[in-house]
Amino acid sequence: MGRFGIMEPEKCEYRESILNLSEEDLISFLVDKGIPKYRGRQIFTWIYRFGKTSFVDMTNIDKALRRKLDDWFYIHRLRIIGINKSKDGTIKFLLKLHDDNTIETVYIPEIRRNTICVSSQVGCAVGCKFCNTGHHGFIRNLMTEEIIAQYLIVRDYLNTNPTQSEESRRVSNIVFMGMGEPLLNHQNILKAVTNLMSDEETGISRRKITISTAGITDILEEVAKELPCRLAISLHAPNDAIRSSIMPINNKYNIESIIMACRKYSEHHGYLKITFEYLLLNGINDSNECASELLKLIRHLNAKVNLLQFNQWDGCSFMPSPPERVIKFAEILGRGGIEAPIRHRRGEDISAACGQLRSQEIIVPSY
Ligand code: SF4
């Protein structure tokens, strides 16, 4: 265990990962050692703004302190073991963790924004029937450092890749929509989000970070007030019967509890629109009646719906809704006053879409 009660990667037994610390944690550690507070901000700036991976490079810090920092901490990076590039510019990174598990992180360039889709767990226990990640079960939660390191490693890669234009190298948005259910790892996620927002110059604002949940409503209610960013709910159905058939978690957290938790979130963050993710599955949840029912369910909330098109994967029997159905569904919501953009499939040729991520080299750890 490290000084902050965090299990350290075996390769760095005696040192603490600095990415696991909030700025407050770091400052209180430094102050305890008689080091002035402002050093904490300087170190954070080197790590989060300039992407430094070594204390030696922190040139406005005296050499003696740099040596001490190196004795106490290390700056974690994940190892890229695979990169898949889609013809639409999407890049999927396969990353190796210290225990040989692997996760995936996806970079999605668009016209006005560049988004990183970050994983929060190795695998997922929620088991949505349309999701390849869920199909392979749960292994473990990611630590704060592993969540932050996904962002840093993608940024490093983009900054050193000469084929990318300057504009496409700037990461503007982060979505917790990769492998795993973020609210089942909420302590580490919230700490990571706070650190990612910490740099005044390059930090990502709360409006540009989205936590997407299948609706773990007891935790959502608990953290609603402190949630420092946008909220997306993977709803995918307008009623409990359909939702339970494709998302078994609905038997525990039903739609009524989701709406109540959303209200609670809006009490604290009413200015931030909630997004309902809705994956259109042919003949399952894509009828006009479903659209009308969905409208009735959410029209009183400050919300919008993202209509997602299903990307098929081997072993899954669901089919995507035909384009005319998708358009009709969007029209019904739009006529009822709910914004419902149709999200185009991204990274289809490299299986990088929502619900398609999976560890390609799943190794179950020995504990
Ligand atoms: Fe887990 Fe999300 Fe997949 Fe559902 S869709 S199984 S919550 S990763």
Side-chain angles (χ1 to χ4, degrees):
M1 284 285 185
R3 277 178 293 275
F4 295 86
I6 297 154
M7 189 68 79
E8 298 170 1
E10 28 180 339
K11 286 165 198 153
C12 302
E13 279 163 12
Y14 57 95
R15 294 186 296 167
E16 186 79 40
S17 168
I18 202 162
L19 299 186
N20 277 328
L21 305 191
S22 65
E23 193 173 345
E24 230 173 35
D25 287 340
L26 178 62
I27 288 174
S28 98
F29 174 83
L30 295 174
V31 169
D32 268 3
K33 303 269 179 206
I35 297 160
K37 265 182 172 183
Y38 72 90
R39 291 293 190 197
R41 172 97 302 262
Q42 285 179 322
I43 296 164
F44 253 56
T45 302
W46 281 116
I47 294 172
Y48 290 95
R49 188 183 305 172
F50 299 117
K52 292 296 173 196
T53 54
S54 162
F55 295 106
V56 174
D57 297 333
M58 301 185 178
T59 48
N60 60 355
I61 294 175
D62 60 86
K63 280 188 181 159
L65 178 54
R66 279 186 257 166
R67 267 196 303 273
K68 282 186 190 160
L69 287 170
D70 204 40
D71 285 343
W72 296 324
F73 301 113
Y74 62 95
I75 307 172
H76 190 62
R77 281 295 190 273
L78 299 169
R79 194 145 56 85
I80 299 177
I81 55 168
I83 292 180
N84 265 331
K85 292 184 185 176
S86 164
K87 52 182 187 287
D88 68 15
T90 300
I91 306 175
K92 184 168 74 169
F93 297 85
L94 181 65
L95 305 171
K96 188 159 238 167
L97 308 177
H98 72 272
D99 58 3
D100 284 342
N101 279 302
T102 56
I103 52 168
E104 291 182 345
T105 304
V106 181
Y107 163 74
I108 309 157
E110 291 173 277
I111 290 170
R112 279 187 297 276
R113 64 183 171 191
N114 300 312
T115 303
I116 297 183
C117 178
V118 170
S119 293
S120 50
Q121 298 179 311
V122 185
C124 183
V126 173
C128 303
K129 295 203 173 149
F130 47 79
C131 173
N132 203 350
T133 306
H135 195 65
H136 288 86
F138 171 74
I139 296 179
R140 71 167 172 88
N141 278 336
L142 292 182
M143 293 183 287
T144 303
E145 61 171 335
E146 293 167 326
I147 297 161
I148 294 171
Q150 292 175 67
Y151 163 77
L152 293 175
I153 197 112
V154 172
R155 213 181 58 174
D156 289 350
Y157 174 85
L158 297 172
N159 281 334
T160 52
N161 187 338
T163 61
Q164 303 278 336
S165 70
E166 194 165 332
E167 187 53 28
S168 68
R169 275 188 260 136
R170 206 180 59 78
V171 174
S172 58
N173 293 59
I174 297 178
V175 292
F176 287 88
M177 235 177 246
M179 296 166 66
E181 163 52 56
L183 289 188
L184 292 177
N185 188 16
H186 64 284
Q187 282 159 340
N188 290 339
I189 294 283
L190 294 185
K191 216 162 163 188
V193 168
T194 307
N195 282 10
L196 290 169
M197 293 191 318
S198 70
D199 187 75
E200 284 158 18
E201 203 170 291
T202 54
I204 299 186
S205 90
R206 64 175 58 220
R207 289 172 183 275
K208 307 283 183 183
I209 299 181
T210 304
I211 289 182
S212 175
T213 172
I216 312 299
T217 55
D218 47 1
I219 297 175
L220 182 51
E221 291 214 11
E222 191 188 312
V223 301
K225 189 173 173 192
E226 54 175 314
L227 210 60
C229 56
R230 284 187 184 275
L231 174 67
I233 305 278
S234 299
L235 192 65
H236 306 316
N239 59 53
D240 285 327
I242 299 178
R243 193 164 192 266
S244 296
S245 74
I246 54 176
M247 298 178 73
I249 192 83
N250 193 69
N251 292 312
K252 185 166 181 194
Y253 303 109
N254 65 13
I255 291 184
E256 193 188 344
S257 75
I258 289 177
I259 299 297
M260 278 166 58
C262 286
R263 283 210 191 98
K264 186 124 191 199
Y265 171 83
S266 290
E267 274 171 25
H268 302 290
H269 315 279
Y271 57 100
L272 292 176
K273 220 171 226 191
I274 296 170
T275 302
F276 287 99
E277 305 290 347
Y278 199 102
L279 185 66
L280 286 154
L281 300 169
N282 189 27
I284 305 282
N285 61 359
D286 61 348
S287 66
N288 292 352
E289 293 71 32
C290 284
S292 303
E293 209 177 339
L294 177 62
L295 189 57
K296 215 166 135 197
L297 185 71
I298 63 167
R299 71 183 341 163
H300 57 282
L301 294 169
N302 180 20
K304 68 169 190 169
V305 176
N306 269 351
L307 293 174
L308 311 174
Q309 295 165 284
F310 180 58
N311 286 10
Q312 284 176 284
W313 44 273
D314 283 349
C316 183
S317 57
F318 293 117
M319 299 285 288
S321 296
E324 60 280 10
R325 198 77 306 281
V326 177
I327 291 167
K328 185 74 195 164
F329 204 95
E331 276 173 7
I332 294 172
L333 292 174
R335 274 205 306 273
I338 292 286
E339 186 191 340
I342 300 167
R343 296 284 172 207
H344 293 290
R345 295 183 177 116
R346 296 300 306 265
E348 194 176 7
D349 50 332
I350 57 167
S351 298
C354 181
Q356 282 196 317
L357 300 186
R358 58 163 300 220
S359 185
Q360 290 175 1
E361 301 190 340
I362 289 177
I363 298 171
V364 182
S366 53
Y367 52 82

